[in-house]
Amino acid sequence: MTVQLPPVDPALVEAASTLDIDAATARHKELAAAVDRANVLYHAEDAPELSDAEYDQLFRELVALETAYPELTTDDSPTQRVGGAPSGEVFSEVRHRRPMLSLSNAFSHDELRAFDARVRRGLGLAAAPEPATELRYVAELKIDGLAITLRYERGRFVQGATRGDGTTGEDVTANLRTISAVPAKLNESVTADVRGEVFMPKSEFARINAEREEAGLALYANPRNSGAGSLRQKDPAVTASRLLSIWVYQLLEEGDGSIDSQSSALERLATLGLPANAQYEAGLDIEGVIGFTERWREERHKLPYETDGVVVKVDRFDQQDRLGMVSRAPRWAIAYKFPPEQVETTLEDIVPYVGRTGTLTPVAHLTPVKVAGSTVARATLHNLDEVRRKDLRIGDRVILQKAGDVIPEVVRPLVEKRSGTERSFEMPDACPVCGTKVVQDEGAVRVYCPNAACPARLSQEFGHFVGRGGMDIEGAGWAVLSQLLERGLVKSRADFFRLSVEDLEGLDRFARKSAENLHGRIARARVGRPLARVLNGLGMPQVGESTAIDLARWLAMRVRSDDYPPPSGDNVPDPWFAAIDAELRRIATEEPETLTEVEGIGPLVAAAIGRYFADPATGNVLRELVEVGVVPERPDVPPPGAAVEAGPLAGKSVVVTGTLEGFARQEAEDAIRAAGGKPAGSVSKKTDYVVAGESAGSKLAKAQELGVPILDEAGFRRLLAGDG
Ligand code: IVH
């Protein structure tokens, strides 16, 4: 069954919106469970209890509820999943027989020529343009999908895995078996590892998104994401319901080794009955490769699948072996990325948006236009300097692209197309929301609304405060928040904790029960939220989640928890939290430079924190939270004096740069901290290690220049494990 998502039914949405939030929450839970169960019965156990019509009915009601109450749309709602299987899957691990490498990138033809020069040097051949008849390249399309490896034993498909961290991947055998392009049996009884890319064809991506749009669900950003999501499903039947395909490009055959080049391997793959993409060219020199990239830059749009570049490989295996590899990428191959697709559209207006910290950001309103797979109507222009530098004027025809194929960017105006009616953009003198005169600090680019009570600022600030990165008060979504602000029930963060059941009962769609429940959730958020989240929720300038964690630890080392008793009752000030507030306020206002001891806080941020605490409109926020009885969780910090001895990275400063396969940036930093080290943002002589992932740039260069030890991900893991 392909899960046909039904459209949003206005009558059901109407009905859903008559429920109060608690009734809606309860019904949502019920429906989500029923849909989950139906999915499992249908897909995994092949024993459906519901008819398709009954299933549709449940699903429709679920979508309607989420339309009426968007805050119910959690990530694990059945409406948010590819098919219906539970998310957050755990697959068993597979260790790759040979590591699955990544490739370094080239973004221009000159970088391809530089690659050719490196290869020639490495092989001891004459520099271009001298002909090098013994050096030939194969150019293949770079398939934009998910790298996988297939294990065939005596001609039978026995196991398939994702790349994972390159050394160990996830066992997705059952899911791969549902892909018809993966042969269960080869034409010959060979034993081999075959590598390739699983992808979702453009037409399937369009079909799924059309269904999701009809159903009012969030659309998938690109075929790669939805393809990867479809493959990593616990329930193979869900994968089967998505039309995935595969192209293979690498053969590691066990046996006589008669295959001696990439071009012969590609032919052999096809002979064995494997789907090797035929759109490759062999026997090329680098200028031939460049010709190939030029041809496919346009032609690729006609292909039924996505390709984002060309992979260039030295053809002969003996030459590949001689070239070897650097860090985690072979020296004999490179991935050339196509330049981003550019389109022309009209800049209809430039509109200043007021953000959480009051910053006015000019946003381009564009005539909607399709670029790199989605329709774009807005693009941030970042700040006034950027608008000036690009000389953008309202009414201009402009070139638009997606940076990294994701974030829309206005590249430049088409000056030659101007009619003379275009207008330049000026930042308004007054905040477009509250009318307060805006401010631009001396020497700064940023223009901001200084009114701490500006409704545009407040609604975003308070949303941030009660959101997941802050006090995490469930059910205090947008609908509730805007009413609380409008009715003047909440004027400060502390006011959330002063709300009575009666206050909440007066809100639209709230009954006694739902008011009591939200009141209960607020009361529970009062106690035990990590100090870092409370600090993050304040929205101090430039203090995001990561800095808030460092700041909380730093404060907890100065204000030792053991010196303070727990609060003496409910809703009374916590002595430790009061001391934290006093210490932070004192330092911020009297000696802000001391704050630069905190990772991620430099002199400018320290000064901004100083101003935050000196400003009567914001400086008392923590104190008020103390007064209403907020009791944060006290961070675990090493006892005095023990700090430096603990952990394999004790006292070491480590910079992470580029993308790591197995760690998000935050995870890498947490791991460094857990090992006793200090994650740092910039490379200096004091840096002990630089961990360089894919696309590492200037920090890697700096480390090389300063002779700082550089680690790849495997080295990083060893270091964390203490066997550096
Ligand atoms: S060869 C050691 N060939 O792109 C060489 N990779 O950005 C291994 N990819 O990790 C890769 N199409 O997942 C190769 N024709 C192709 C490819 C291809 C897509 C992927 C692959 C690789 C990534 C590098």
Side-chain angles (χ1 to χ4, degrees):
M1 166 176 91
T2 49
V3 186
Q4 290 285 336
L5 304 181
V8 188
D9 180 335
L12 283 176
V13 177
E14 180 77 54
S17 54
T18 62
L19 298 176
D20 71 48
I21 177 77
D22 284 295
T25 308
R27 180 70 185 144
H28 183 270
K29 203 169 154 195
E30 224 169 73
L31 285 168
V35 170
D36 274 340
R37 181 174 156 73
N39 280 332
V40 170
L41 288 174
Y42 191 102
H43 291 297
E45 296 173 20
D46 201 21
E49 283 175 354
L50 299 179
S51 69
D52 281 6
E54 285 165 330
Y55 177 91
D56 268 14
Q57 185 56 32
L58 291 181
F59 206 99
R60 251 178 234 269
E61 196 187 334
L62 195 61
V63 171
L65 264 173
E66 292 182 357
T67 309
Y69 288 95
E71 60 266 45
L72 295 177
T73 321
T74 55
D75 287 350
D76 61 354
S77 163
T79 63
Q80 294 299 296
R81 280 183 253 130
V82 178
S87 59
E89 305 304 2
V90 190
F91 294 89
S92 51
E93 290 191 345
V94 178
R95 211 179 154 78
H96 303 309
R97 279 187 183 70
R98 282 214 241 153
M100 289 181 79
L101 305 175
S102 51
L103 295 175
S104 36
N105 292 320
F107 296 96
S108 67
H109 293 155
D110 278 345
E111 285 178 42
L112 282 178
R113 292 189 182 101
F115 162 74
D116 178 52
R118 284 198 299 277
V119 167
R120 284 167 178 253
R121 261 201 315 278
L123 294 174
L125 301 174
E130 292 304 313
T133 45
E134 60 275 53
L135 172 63
R136 284 291 172 259
Y137 295 107
V138 180
E140 297 168 20
L141 294 181
K142 181 166 152 31
I143 310 302
D144 198 9
L146 182 76
I148 52 91
T149 182
L150 307 172
R151 174 76 180 164
Y152 283 88
E153 283 175 6
R154 275 169 283 125
R156 304 256 165 206
F157 174 52
V158 295
Q159 191 176 51
T162 61
R163 170 160 60 193
D165 64 5
T167 312
T168 310
E170 291 171 321
D171 187 334
V172 287
T173 311
N175 292 345
L176 287 166
R177 283 193 198 284
T178 71
I179 300 176
S180 58
V182 175
K185 189 167 171 283
L186 300 180
N187 295 334
E188 293 175 34
S189 172
V190 295
T191 293
D193 280 344
V194 174
R195 287 171 179 179
E197 207 81 0
V198 166
F199 63 92
M200 180 176 280
K202 290 175 184 169
S203 55
E204 178 70 355
F205 173 71
R207 182 187 73 78
I208 289 170
N209 258 357
E211 265 180 33
R212 292 183 72 88
E213 184 156 27
E214 281 266 285
L217 300 179
L219 302 188
Y220 288 122
N222 54 50
R224 182 160 42 77
N225 285 1
S226 61
S230 302
L231 187 66
R232 296 189 65 260
Q233 290 287 315
K234 192 78 200 173
D235 174 3
V238 177
T239 309
S241 75
R242 307 280 139 161
L243 212 165
L244 297 178
S245 193
I246 185 173
W247 290 122
V248 297
Y249 45 69
Q250 205 177 8
L251 175 65
L252 305 166
E253 190 174 346
E254 290 174 14
D256 60 4
S258 60
I259 302 296
D260 60 1
S261 68
Q262 173 65 7
S263 48
S264 51
L266 288 171
E267 282 169 25
R268 173 99 179 119
L269 285 166
T271 311
L272 289 172
L274 283 154
N277 192 320
Q279 311 293 359
Y280 71 91
E281 236 177 276
L284 301 173
D285 63 10
I286 203 66
E287 295 306 319
V289 166
I290 289 168
F292 183 91
T293 64
E294 273 308 272
R295 192 144 32 80
W296 282 105
R297 187 155 70 97
E298 294 305 325
E299 289 288 301
R300 67 178 162 137
H301 299 298
K302 299 183 191 147
L303 292 170
Y305 49 87
E306 296 272 348
T307 150
D308 57 344
V310 171
V311 180
V312 186
K313 300 171 185 174
V314 168
D315 196 13
R316 274 167 47 184
F317 285 169
D318 63 319
Q319 291 178 330
Q320 291 188 359
D321 292 342
R322 272 163 60 204
L323 288 162
M325 42 187 282
V326 255
S327 75
R328 312 248 295 135
R331 280 205 191 81
W332 46 263
I334 198 160
Y336 168 83
K337 296 280 182 82
F338 292 123
E341 187 194 341
Q342 298 193 328
V343 295
E344 197 185 313
T345 185
T346 301
L347 178 56
E348 292 178 353
D349 203 356
I350 299 178
V351 178
Y353 280 53
V354 186
R356 173 161 63 82
T357 54
T359 306
L360 267 62
T361 302
V363 173
H365 285 204
L366 304 154
T367 304
V369 63
K370 203 157 178 177
V371 55
S374 71
T375 302
V376 172
R378 302 269 186 277
T380 176
L381 299 172
H382 305 290
N383 55 54
L384 188 59
D385 277 14
E386 186 82 356
V387 178
R388 296 262 161 76
R389 195 177 58 73
K390 291 184 172 164
D391 183 26
L392 291 169
R393 301 187 194 167
I394 298 164
D396 267 339
R397 291 292 287 170
V398 294
I399 296 291
L400 178 78
Q401 71 179 23
K402 279 202 194 155
D405 274 351
V406 183
I407 301 157
E409 176 190 9
V410 179
V411 183
R412 62 187 167 87
L414 295 169
V415 178
E416 64 281 10
K417 294 203 173 170
R418 282 190 180 148
S419 67
T421 58
E422 297 76 14
R423 294 180 289 121
S424 42
F425 167 77
E426 295 300 333
M427 272 292 183
D429 294 331
C431 169
V433 177
C434 72
T436 306
K437 203 166 158 4
V438 299
V439 178
Q440 183 167 23
D441 291 331
E442 180 126 353
V445 180
R446 175 176 108 108
V447 173
Y448 63 97
C449 167
N451 176 13
C454 170
R457 290 184 55 168
L458 280 188
S459 56
Q460 293 177 75
E461 279 181 18
F462 290 175
H464 177 71
F465 178 65
V466 298
R468 292 225 176 123
M471 303 307 289
D472 196 8
I473 302 174
E474 204 190 319
W478 178 244
V480 170
L481 206 58
S482 54
Q483 290 186 63
L484 291 173
L485 282 167
E486 259 165 41
R487 294 172 194 215
L489 288 168
V490 166
K491 296 200 188 73
S492 73
R493 290 174 178 77
D495 282 345
F496 282 97
F497 299 99
R498 298 193 179 102
L499 290 167
S500 65
V501 174
E502 287 69 33
D503 289 336
L504 296 171
E505 202 178 346
L507 303 181
D508 291 349
R509 295 208 206 118
F510 268 67
R512 182 79 193 174
K513 187 85 182 75
S514 46
E516 280 169 4
N517 286 345
L518 179 56
H519 192 257
R521 285 196 292 268
I522 295 174
R524 282 194 294 283
R526 193 193 295 259
V527 179
R529 294 291 185 251
L531 177 65
R533 288 234 235 108
V534 179
L535 293 175
N536 185 42
L538 300 188
M540 289 181 274
Q542 325 262 348
V543 179
E545 256 171 86
S546 164
T547 304
I549 291 172
D550 293 325
L551 179 59
R553 281 181 62 90
W554 184 78
L555 286 167
M557 308 263 257
R558 300 176 72 98
V559 181
R560 291 276 164 187
S561 170
D562 300 345
D563 300 341
Y564 296 87
S568 56
D570 285 346
N571 303 347
V572 299
D574 169 9
W576 177 76
F577 189 29
I580 290 277
D581 165 52
E583 177 73 348
L584 179 55
R585 190 142 30 84
R586 183 188 66 75
I587 294 174
T589 51
E590 291 172 19
E591 41 172 288
E593 61 291 344
T594 307
L595 287 169
T596 59
E597 286 176 16
V598 180
E599 196 60 53
I601 298 187
L604 289 178
V605 178
I609 297 175
R611 284 195 297 278
Y612 180 92
F613 279 94
D615 183 343
T618 48
N620 294 319
V621 175
L622 264 188
R623 186 180 2 213
E624 288 175 21
L625 292 176
V626 173
E627 281 163 7
V628 294
V630 169
V631 182
E633 182 187 79
R634 305 178 180 190
D636 266 335
V637 289
V644 196
E645 283 97 287
L649 281 179
K652 303 283 187 209
S653 158
V654 185
V655 173
V656 180
T657 176
T659 314
L660 301 178
E661 294 266 345
F663 298 86
R665 179 56 56 91
Q666 184 64 49
E667 288 165 354
E669 291 181 358
D670 288 347
I672 293 167
R673 274 192 209 96
K678 264 178 51 169
S682 58
V683 180
S684 72
K685 275 187 286 188
K686 287 195 220 144
T687 309
D688 291 291
Y689 299 101
V690 167
V691 179
E694 194 149 350
S695 321
S698 62
K699 290 182 193 174
L700 176 59
K702 184 85 185 279
Q704 282 161 340
E705 187 188 311
L706 295 175
V708 174
I710 298 163
L711 301 170
D712 63 7
E713 192 167 334
F716 179 45
R717 283 181 193 280
R718 279 197 298 277
L719 196 67
L720 291 172
D723 62 354

